[in-house]
Amino acid sequence: MPTSKPTKPFSPAPFKPPFWLSNPHLQSILPKFFAPKTPSYRRVIKQDSLCETDIAYDFYDAHPVQVLEDSENGKLEQTPLIVLFHGMEGSSDSHYARALAYQMHAQGWHFVVAHFRSCGGIPANGSVFYNAGDTGEVHHMLENLRENYAHIYAVGVSLGGNALAKYMGEYGDNTLCEGAAVISAPVDMSSAAITMHSFLSHRIYTPYLLNPIIKKALANDLSQDEINSIKAANRISDFDDIFTAPRHGYRSKNDYYHSSSALPYLRNVTRPLLLISAKDDPFIGFTATPNDVSDSVTILDTEHGGHIGYLRYRSDSQAKNAQSTNAQSTNDNAKTKQAGSNGKKAKTSKFDINWIPETVSAYFNHIGVASKTYNND
């Protein structure tokens, strides 16, 4: 099932929040409060590309899948698999992961979250862990999935989106995914670091992101000098200079940001790639322009949306008439809603975070992924 090259431009539904919901910080913070229930994932554990650390793959299957013992002699699963590469400190429990899982499931596609090192509840046991430019690890994850799935499409979010976009450009025709969508990715990591130094971003987001990664770093085998330096870090760029860069073979944070940024590689992308970013994103810094990318890349810049936000509000009539993907896609979710309301009909929320999942699935349909379950016979 090769992905066809679209003859018409991609034209998704616009994102237009009401003026009182257009603030980028509201858009970035509130979505987690409107996420659907966590799906019933099927977890598979494999080793990372260095054979040092266990990695979790959380699957939300469209239908039961036969895991092949010998992929060379077996028949690969033909129903498309959508793989998500999450952001910093993200997981299959992140609000965007849950929303994407239900949307992809409703399309009749398999879905999986491939966790980076130290994420998904599994500690990193090796000398390295989260590296936003580690395309070798992305390729390794896709190789693991390719052992059972014939057609793979990818979604990357935030720093996971940067890693995926860099992979698409760096590997070109050798990429193992047939198309991809990237959301809120800091493809120029140096300018993103500067953006995060602004007063509001530093005050609002830095503690939320920095404290967990410091805790994980301190669990490693460190010298006392390293421990003291990490504890003194009060910006993510400080942590990257002290820990991330030297641990992953970079000379400094500047070397890490320069070497890991996807932006210089986007001109070499040969498979369909959608880049979604909001102009008011408080995280990402410089974004790609048409002159920075190949003809295979579609840029979708929105005026609002914040960082992985895109929270919508609908009127009473719109909320009543809307089909909730999250409520309709699985019996488990329906049962959860029923139990939570003591058997009463669940109230439809006026808020939802489905614009990203709907736009991503629309793009995959646009490039030729059929919205149906394939017969493997």
Side-chain angles (χ1 to χ4, degrees):
M1 186 195 64
T3 301
S4 59
K5 187 173 182 178
T7 57
K8 296 180 180 180
F10 177 57
S11 299
F15 177 72
K16 294 182 179 179
F19 74 93
W20 51 268
L21 193 57
S22 61
N23 180 279
H25 301 295
L26 289 179
Q27 283 287 332
S28 302
I29 295 170
L30 291 181
K32 68 179 182 179
F33 298 106
F34 298 97
K37 299 290 183 181
T38 303
S40 299
Y41 291 114
R42 171 177 61 88
R43 173 159 284 197
V44 174
I45 304 296
K46 292 181 176 288
Q47 284 203 309
D48 70 345
S49 57
L50 302 177
C51 296
E52 292 181 346
T53 296
D54 285 342
I55 298 296
Y57 297 78
D58 284 350
F59 291 84
Y60 189 39
D61 302 316
H63 58 79
V65 177
Q66 180 182 1
V67 178
L68 304 176
E69 297 296 332
D70 185 352
S71 59
E72 292 184 1
N73 297 324
K75 191 171 185 179
L76 297 177
E77 168 66 28
Q78 295 298 303
T79 299
L81 173 70
I82 313 300
V83 54
L84 171 65
F85 296 100
H86 60 79
M88 178 182 287
E89 291 306 298
S91 71
S92 58
D93 195 43
S94 297
H95 69 272
Y96 53 84
R98 299 188 217 173
L100 282 163
Y102 285 116
Q103 178 69 27
M104 301 306 127
H105 190 273
Q107 293 284 312
W109 303 328
H110 300 300
F111 178 77
V112 62
V113 179
H115 291 89
F116 290 105
R117 297 180 185 95
S118 81
C119 297
I122 299 179
N125 294 321
S127 58
V128 300
F129 60 119
Y130 199 99
N131 177 355
D134 191 355
T135 53
E137 182 69 8
V138 171
H139 189 69
H140 172 75
M141 291 175 173
L142 292 171
E143 283 182 320
N144 282 337
L145 297 169
R146 190 63 176 79
E147 292 177 358
N148 285 281
Y149 296 87
H151 306 290
I152 299 175
Y153 297 80
V155 182
V157 172
S158 194
L159 283 178
N162 175 78
L164 175 59
K166 181 173 181 276
Y167 169 76
M168 296 290 288
E170 190 174 337
Y171 279 70
D173 289 335
N174 294 320
T175 58
L176 296 179
C177 51
E178 298 175 31
V182 165
I183 303 103
S184 300
V187 295
D188 181 75
M189 292 179 60
S190 294
S191 64
I194 294 173
T195 300
M196 284 295 291
H197 290 171
S198 68
F199 179 78
L200 280 177
S201 291
H202 178 65
R203 293 291 181 182
I204 297 173
Y205 305 112
T206 295
Y208 173 76
L209 294 171
L210 185 59
N211 291 340
I213 60 176
I214 285 179
K215 183 178 179 179
K216 288 179 180 179
L218 293 175
N220 283 257
D221 184 17
L222 304 176
S223 68
Q224 190 59 49
D225 287 342
E226 286 179 311
I227 293 173
N228 294 338
S229 297
I230 290 172
K231 286 183 176 180
N234 63 5
R235 298 186 299 188
I236 292 175
S237 60
D238 295 336
F239 177 84
D240 286 336
D241 203 39
I242 295 166
F243 187 82
T244 308
R247 279 277 165 154
H248 295 89
Y250 301 103
R251 298 176 63 186
S252 66
K253 65 182 180 184
N254 296 325
D255 184 31
Y256 170 50
Y257 296 155
H258 174 75
S259 301
S260 300
S261 294
L263 190 61
Y265 296 89
L266 296 177
R267 68 189 67 179
N268 301 322
V269 173
T270 60
R271 302 283 176 84
L273 171 63
L274 174 66
L275 297 178
I276 302 174
S277 57
K279 294 179 182 178
D280 64 356
D281 191 317
F283 281 42
I284 64 176
F286 294 145
T287 56
T289 70
N291 290 332
D292 295 317
V293 304
S294 72
D295 292 339
S296 297
V297 180
T298 299
I299 296 174
L300 178 55
D301 290 332
T302 61
E303 291 296 325
H304 304 289
H307 189 69
I308 332 171
Y310 295 97
L311 177 65
R312 296 187 297 200
Y313 177 84
R314 300 169 297 180
S315 65
D316 287 332
S317 59
Q318 289 173 323
K320 188 179 293 184
N321 294 331
Q323 292 292 328
S324 175
T325 299
N326 300 329
Q328 298 296 328
S329 58
T330 66
N331 290 330
D332 286 346
N333 198 40
K335 290 177 182 177
T336 300
K337 288 197 168 211
Q338 185 178 12
S341 59
N342 296 320
K344 296 179 181 179
K345 186 177 180 180
K347 184 178 179 181
T348 302
S349 174
K350 294 181 181 180
F351 295 91
D352 77 56
I353 57 172
N354 291 331
W355 186 84
I356 286 177
E358 290 170 3
T359 302
V360 169
S361 63
Y363 178 71
F364 287 157
N365 278 304
H366 176 73
I367 63 175
V369 190
S371 296
K372 67 186 182 80
T373 299
Y374 284 80
N375 190 335
N376 291 336
D377 295 334

